[in-house]
């Protein structure tokens, strides 16, 4: 994905630099939509649907003949899509910061960011995904210390994943909302003014940092709700037309 995004970003910079901001706004809106969809999951899906999904997952895991990758195809596609959008947003933001720089410098900066993303970020994520496998491997060692460490990793892995899920959802609102408010000048100036006012409160430096983040998150939640509402309405209209 990243290897495709870098030349695409350079092409946009060369032939359509005006498209950077609209692309950022679309990507930011999508991140807010993804985040709000996670929050609204329990309202969009009945407990019976969740129970049926859990029962299917248990059945698939217990059946060695079932291809788990194929079973989780939709979820994997959604994760890949979100990963692609987030990667594109990072590349686009980086491109915006070096838009006025010479082409060679743009290539160097974008390539460096792509390398950091690929090796650092995605390597770290891959390590987290395999964390329970590492714990299981350690728990089978002869050393008592290794077995204790492995058991601890296995027990803590689900909690870590839940925590990362919450942090990831919050990051979607912070990043997506921040991109949207930055692209709408009225909101951008209003948030800057609110941060300046908060800077005069007790512990002003802390509030001056927290206020933009909180307001960006609120904007992200509102934007996500609006996009999800539009998408849900569109799906229902399509469904009603299909049944006519």
């Amino acid at each position: 994905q990243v290897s495709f995004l870098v030349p695409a970003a350079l092409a946009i910079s060369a032939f359509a630099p005006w498209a950077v901001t609209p692309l950022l706004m679309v990507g930011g809106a999508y991140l807010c939509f993804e985040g709000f969809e996670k929050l609204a999951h329990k309202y969009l899906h009945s407990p019976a649907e969740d129970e049926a999904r859990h029962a299917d997952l248990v059945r698939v895991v217990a059946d060695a003949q079932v291809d788990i990758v194929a079973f989780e195809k939709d979820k994997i596609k959604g994760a890949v899509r979100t990963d692609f959008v987030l990667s594109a947003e990072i590349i686009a933001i980086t491109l915006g910061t070096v838009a006025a720089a010479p082409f060679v410098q743009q290539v160097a900066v974008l390539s460096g960011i792509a390398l950091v993303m690929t090796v650092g970020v995605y390597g770290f994520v891959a390590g987290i995904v395999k964390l329970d496998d590492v714990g299981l491997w350690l728990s089978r060692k002869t050393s008592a210390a290794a077995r204790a460490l492995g058991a601890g990793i296995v027990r803590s892995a689900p909690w870590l994943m839940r925590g990362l899920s919450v942090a990831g959802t919050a990051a979607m609102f912070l990043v997506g909302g921040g991109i949207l408010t930055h692209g709408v000048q009225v909101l951008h100036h209003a948030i800057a003014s609110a941060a300046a006012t908060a800077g005069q409160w007790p512990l002003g430096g802390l509030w001056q940092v927290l206020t933009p983040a909180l307001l960006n998150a609120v904007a992200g939640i509102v934007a996500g709700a609006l996009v999800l509402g539009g998408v849900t309405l569109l799906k229902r209209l399509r469904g009603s037309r299909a049944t006519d």
Side-chain angles (χ1 to χ4, degrees):
Q1 292 180 355
V2 178
S3 60
F4 161 77
L5 289 171
V6 171
L10 292 172
I12 291 173
S13 176
F15 300 106
W18 53 267
V20 174
T21 298
L23 289 174
L24 280 171
M25 297 289 283
V26 171
Y30 179 80
L31 290 176
C32 295
F33 160 74
E34 282 283 300
F36 195 83
E37 189 177 38
K38 292 180 183 296
L39 291 181
H41 176 82
K42 66 178 181 179
Y43 300 106
L44 296 176
H45 302 277
S46 65
E49 289 178 318
D50 291 336
E51 290 176 5
R53 170 69 181 177
H54 179 72
D56 285 342
L57 184 59
V58 172
R59 175 183 57 80
V60 168
V61 172
D63 190 348
Q65 296 182 348
V66 177
D67 187 351
I68 297 180
V69 174
F71 178 77
E72 295 286 356
K73 183 178 179 180
D74 290 339
K75 184 178 291 188
I76 293 172
K77 285 173 61 178
V80 171
R81 184 168 57 247
T82 302
D83 175 66
F84 178 81
V85 171
L86 187 56
S87 300
E89 291 293 277
I90 295 173
I91 293 296
I93 291 171
T94 305
L95 179 62
T97 61
V98 296
F103 181 76
V104 175
Q105 185 175 344
Q106 291 183 11
V107 174
V109 172
L110 290 174
S111 299
I113 293 297
L115 182 62
V116 170
M117 288 167 56
T118 302
V119 177
V121 178
Y122 299 135
F124 177 71
V125 171
I128 293 175
V129 171
K130 291 294 184 181
L131 191 62
D132 54 349
D133 293 335
V134 174
L136 182 61
W137 176 73
L138 288 172
S139 67
R140 294 173 176 172
K141 292 293 183 179
T142 56
S143 170
R147 291 199 305 271
L149 177 60
I153 291 175
V154 171
R155 285 194 298 269
S156 62
W159 295 98
L160 175 63
M161 297 302 292
R162 291 191 187 98
L164 290 175
S165 178
V166 172
T169 302
M172 286 182 181
F173 292 129
L174 287 169
V175 175
I179 291 171
L180 294 176
T181 57
H182 188 78
V184 180
Q185 291 302 312
V186 174
L187 293 176
H188 180 65
H189 291 310
I191 290 175
S193 177
T197 301
Q200 301 174 7
W201 300 348
L203 301 176
L206 178 62
W207 283 111
Q208 198 166 11
V209 173
L210 290 179
T211 299
L214 293 173
L215 293 177
N216 286 335
V218 171
I221 292 172
V222 173
L226 292 174
V227 176
L228 180 60
V231 170
T232 303
L233 179 60
L234 182 60
K235 287 182 179 179
R236 290 181 178 177
L237 290 175
R238 286 181 175 178
S240 62
R241 289 178 181 178
T243 55
D244 291 342

